Amino acid sequence: MEMKIIILLFLSVISTINSSCDITSAVFDNVLDGMPAAFGDYDSDELTDVFVIRKDGKTLEILLSNEHEPLLRSTNLTCKFENRITSIVPGDYDGNVFMDILVTTLDNDNILTNVYVLWNDDGTLNCSGTSKPLIKMIGQPLTIDYNQDMIIDLFGTDADNHRTFWIFNNGQNSPEPIQMNTTISTSIRSPHSNAFLDLNGDFYPDIMITTNEHVEIWNGSNKGFNYFKKIKWPYDIIDSINGHIGQSLNLDVELRGELDLILPICFDNDCKNSTIAIYNNGWHNMNINFIDDHNDTWGFVPSNSDNDKLYNDAITLRGGDFNMDGYPDLLATLKSSKTQIIRSFLLINSPCIKNCKYIKRTFVIEDWNTFNTFKNDTIMAVFYDFYQNGILDVILVQHDKIHNKYQVGAFKNDLDYDASFIKVMVLTSLTNPDYPLSYGSLGKKKRTYGTNLPGPSISYDTTTQEGNHRKAIAAQLPQSAHFSLNLPYTTFGLGRTPNFVDKLLIGVAGYSREWRQIIPNSQMVVIPKPIDYPPGWKAQLFVTPSKLIYMSAAALAGTCVLISFIILYLWWKERREDKFERLQEAHRFHFDAM
């Protein structure tokens, strides 16, 4: 009987430990029907807010981030649209430093995409932009900065199937369309995974265009974009005919200081044979093991199945350094070949052991039960830093098949060791004399220098605790369409290194600046102003103390308390002995007095 009680108590403790990672109520309170669509600091308080879709997919709402629970709070910042929302892209589209919101919907015929912009004049949400679209186009737009004026522009396909740039300027006007100078007639893929990022190291963001046949690389310059090369999709896969090609992703998988092209693929239409391919002077199969502990084979969710589900119009991977070891990990949604259950899993970037001809790293599902506290199907998972401490947590979206309802969940990343990080955010550097100062959480008052900019290149060089040289690179907000859900900043895990980051290099619009000896566990905000004079660029550094500092402080305080107790004890003992001696002296018989 006693043994049974002990076992039950043990299982109860284990269950409590597992459920402790589920912090849904602490994050969202009772607002669980908001589906994440984008991230950004809407109210300029230096906390990352979440833009969600609610109420049958036609209402936009902004959940403002807070330092106290609930960490994401429902607001009256809402706008309703006539048709279903297909994407949300926050950014500054009029140059007034405030974050506007670009929203896309499908028209009534589900053919053209309507593009709306909700202008932000003074921190309030103006819903007047929901009445008439600024642009009608095919597919969803990619946010870029076409002319390096720090005002966000768009790239995509116009209603006549021409590749087009839409250039925004100072003022809340319709953008100027400029057709791309190209003789290539291949249509852009839908859904696409176009990207805006620096691929050749000249600090000008390039454009990567995805079609049904290949990937095109267009090198950026101060005069526009020039065609460079194309990369054919691997293994002669034709999407939805003899397999599936997912959304490409650019990550520095092996920490070589170069962005690799990552691609989820299926070798059959049911995606029972799935893998991830990486491009490095040719396509290479990363040989992902999708067989779980029960010998059940999992695979990606085909884009042509369950089309009524959110986030399922394309096979999408989402990157981030979950275990803070420096190597980017992945979140992927998979489907069981036996039970047809759909769940999201964490793929850890690990050394490649088998079939590693040209690659040194691969991705491994180390724990198939990481997100098992969420009982329903988890159809999407994305990284997010709930506590703004540099550690990436996870937002999950669950689907209740019985009631056909979606519900959001929050998973806390409980690292069991002390790891360092560096978090970098590059702003547009625009200012508005009418609104010079605003209140923030990291500083009592700060000047608003615009919103997050797509395309900057961020890289670092450092020396590990073992004395090895390490470098890594990332791009800020490279993608914007089809719920890419990129965070508006870059987080590099540094592992357990206590060393300073030797060099941090920021590249924006063809210019670059280097900062040296950056303190680990720092949050760095880069303001590239003036853009053509990098020595004048500003960097605001905010340091987050690590666990070791708290542990050291606790140990020091404990030592001081212990020493104080010892001193007090010795003092008390000495006083006691002195008192005893005085009593003995008082009762001593003095023979001299006789």
Side-chain angles (χ1 to χ4, degrees):
M1 183 66 181
E2 292 181 355
M3 182 60 68
K4 290 183 179 179
I5 294 174
I6 292 173
I7 292 174
L8 288 174
L9 288 173
F10 176 76
L11 292 175
S12 176
V13 170
I14 294 297
S15 175
T16 303
I17 292 173
N18 288 336
S19 63
S20 66
C21 293
D22 184 357
I23 56 171
T24 302
S25 59
V27 174
F28 296 101
D29 197 17
N30 58 353
V31 183
L32 302 179
D33 63 336
M35 300 298 100
F39 303 115
D41 183 8
Y42 185 76
D43 53 355
S44 301
D45 64 348
E46 296 161 344
L47 300 175
T48 304
D49 309 314
V50 181
F51 298 76
V52 300
I53 301 173
R54 300 184 67 185
K55 300 177 182 178
D56 298 328
K58 297 181 180 180
T59 299
L60 156 72
E61 181 174 341
I62 304 173
L63 301 183
L64 295 181
S65 182
N66 198 281
E67 293 178 320
H68 307 287
E69 297 181 1
L71 301 177
L72 293 174
R73 302 185 178 185
S74 180
T75 64
N76 59 355
L77 298 173
T78 62
C79 284
K80 185 174 178 60
F81 289 82
E82 181 181 352
N83 297 320
R84 185 173 64 87
I85 298 172
T86 55
S87 71
I88 297 173
V89 189
D92 186 3
Y93 297 92
D94 59 1
N96 70 346
V97 313
F98 290 113
M99 180 172 283
D100 310 307
I101 307 174
L102 183 145
V103 180
T104 65
T105 68
L106 284 175
D107 63 8
N108 294 326
D109 297 325
N110 290 333
I111 297 176
L112 294 179
T113 296
N114 296 322
V115 180
Y116 305 85
V117 175
L118 308 179
W119 304 108
N120 183 353
D121 291 320
D122 54 2
T124 59
L125 186 60
N126 184 357
C127 295
S128 61
T130 62
S131 58
K132 183 180 179 181
L134 286 180
I135 303 170
K136 284 184 174 289
M137 61 184 299
I138 298 174
Q140 296 184 17
L142 169 70
T143 55
I144 66 171
D145 184 8
Y146 178 82
N147 50 6
Q148 295 91 45
D149 63 351
M150 300 296 150
I151 299 175
I152 297 180
D153 309 306
L154 302 178
F155 170 75
T157 306
D158 66 11
D160 297 322
N161 204 28
H162 297 135
R163 297 182 181 184
T164 304
F165 299 98
W166 286 272
I167 313 303
F168 289 86
N169 50 37
N170 289 294
Q172 300 175 358
N173 305 312
S174 297
E176 176 190 359
I178 299 177
Q179 288 191 9
M180 191 177 197
N181 184 17
T182 177
T183 58
I184 299 176
S185 59
T186 308
S187 298
I188 294 177
R189 188 175 172 223
S190 181
H192 66 78
S193 51
N194 298 344
F196 183 62
L197 70 172
D198 180 18
L199 295 172
N200 58 0
D202 64 353
F203 305 115
Y204 280 106
D206 311 309
I207 288 185
M208 189 180 76
I209 301 174
T210 57
T211 72
N212 288 327
E213 302 172 2
H214 55 254
V215 179
E216 298 173 15
I217 307 297
W218 291 72
N219 288 339
S221 68
N222 59 354
K223 297 181 180 179
F225 299 91
N226 301 307
Y227 175 78
F228 175 58
K229 68 174 182 179
K230 65 181 179 181
I231 302 171
K232 190 178 179 182
W233 294 125
Y235 310 114
D236 296 322
I237 295 177
I238 302 176
D239 197 24
S240 300
I241 295 180
N242 63 341
H244 292 279
I245 295 174
Q247 301 291 84
S248 58
L249 185 67
N250 296 89
L251 296 174
D252 188 357
V253 176
E254 299 180 356
L255 299 189
R256 297 180 295 112
E258 298 178 9
L259 289 171
D260 301 304
L261 183 60
I262 309 297
L263 186 70
I265 56 175
C266 301
F267 292 104
D268 61 297
N269 281 330
D270 295 328
C271 281
K272 293 182 179 179
N273 185 6
S274 301
T275 190
I276 297 175
I278 182 172
Y279 186 85
N280 183 7
N281 295 322
W283 289 104
H284 308 291
N285 190 341
M286 302 190 78
N287 297 301
I288 311 298
N289 182 14
F290 284 132
I291 302 176
D292 66 11
D293 301 332
H294 303 288
N295 205 31
D296 187 2
T297 301
W298 294 71
F300 295 119
V301 182
S303 56
N304 60 0
S305 66
D306 299 320
N307 284 327
D308 58 319
K309 288 187 177 180
L310 288 170
Y311 310 108
N312 200 38
D313 59 345
I315 300 171
T316 305
L317 302 173
R318 294 180 173 89
D321 190 0
F322 185 80
N323 56 5
M324 306 297 288
D325 65 346
Y327 294 93
D329 309 308
L330 295 176
L331 288 170
T333 300
L334 306 177
K335 186 176 184 179
S336 168
S337 61
K338 289 183 179 179
T339 63
Q340 304 301 305
I341 291 175
I342 297 176
R343 284 183 182 167
S344 297
F345 294 94
L346 174 66
L347 283 70
I348 297 295
N349 189 326
S350 305
C352 185
I353 300 175
K354 295 181 180 179
N355 302 320
C356 311
K357 292 183 179 180
Y358 303 100
I359 56 176
K360 298 179 181 179
R361 310 285 300 187
T362 187
F363 294 97
V364 177
I365 302 178
E366 295 182 350
D367 185 1
W368 289 86
N369 301 313
T370 301
F371 304 131
N372 267 13
T373 52
F374 302 91
K375 304 300 182 183
N376 295 327
D377 292 359
T378 48
I379 61 170
M380 193 279 290
V382 63
F383 292 110
Y384 181 84
D385 185 0
F386 291 120
Y387 295 95
Q388 311 295 328
N389 59 359
I391 299 175
L392 293 180
D393 309 295
V394 179
I395 296 177
L396 299 107
V397 174
Q398 305 170 77
H399 180 232
D400 185 351
K401 289 182 178 179
I402 298 176
H403 302 95
N404 194 27
K405 290 184 178 180
Y406 299 93
Q407 180 173 305
V408 70
F411 180 88
K412 182 182 179 182
N413 181 0
D414 285 328
L415 281 177
D416 57 357
Y417 67 94
D418 189 39
S420 300
F421 69 92
I422 184 168
K423 186 174 177 180
V424 184
M425 179 188 302
V426 183
L427 302 181
T428 59
S429 73
L430 299 176
T431 56
N432 190 332
D434 296 331
Y435 304 94
L437 294 175
S438 63
Y439 288 90
S441 61
L442 299 176
K444 289 186 177 180
K445 278 191 175 183
K446 71 176 188 66
R447 188 175 299 276
T448 300
Y449 287 99
T451 62
N452 308 95
L453 183 69
S457 170
I458 305 168
S459 62
Y460 77 88
D461 284 77
T462 191
T463 304
T464 65
Q465 195 171 8
E466 296 78 18
N468 300 322
H469 177 255
R470 171 184 284 185
K471 59 181 179 179
I473 190 171
Q476 179 174 286
L477 294 173
Q479 296 173 317
S480 58
H482 302 285
F483 299 113
S484 57
L485 288 166
N486 289 299
L487 289 168
Y489 49 78
T490 299
T491 301
F492 293 108
L494 302 176
R496 297 186 179 184
T497 177
N499 300 332
F500 284 72
V501 176
D502 297 333
K503 182 176 69 173
L504 182 71
L505 183 64
I506 307 295
V508 182
Y511 299 93
S512 66
R513 180 173 173 182
E514 180 181 293
W515 281 269
R516 290 188 174 272
Q517 299 300 307
I518 305 299
I519 303 173
N521 291 345
S522 298
Q523 301 187 47
M524 188 171 178
V525 179
V526 178
I527 304 161
K529 181 182 179 68
I531 186 62
D532 56 353
Y533 184 66
W537 294 4
K538 298 179 181 179
Q540 298 177 351
L541 198 66
F542 307 96
V543 180
T544 302
S546 70
K547 294 179 183 177
L548 282 177
I549 294 179
Y550 290 123
M551 292 171 64
S552 301
L556 180 61
T559 304
C560 292
V561 171
L562 179 61
I563 293 174
S564 299
F565 273 117
I566 293 174
I567 293 173
L568 287 173
Y569 172 74
L570 293 175
W571 175 78
W572 173 80
K573 184 179 179 182
E574 186 177 356
R575 288 286 302 271
R576 185 170 175 270
E577 290 176 352
D578 290 344
K579 184 178 180 181
F580 182 72
E581 288 179 0
R582 286 196 298 269
L583 289 173
Q584 281 186 330
E585 185 70 25
H587 291 84
R588 184 178 298 171
F589 184 78
H590 293 279
F591 291 95
D592 295 339
M594 294 178 64

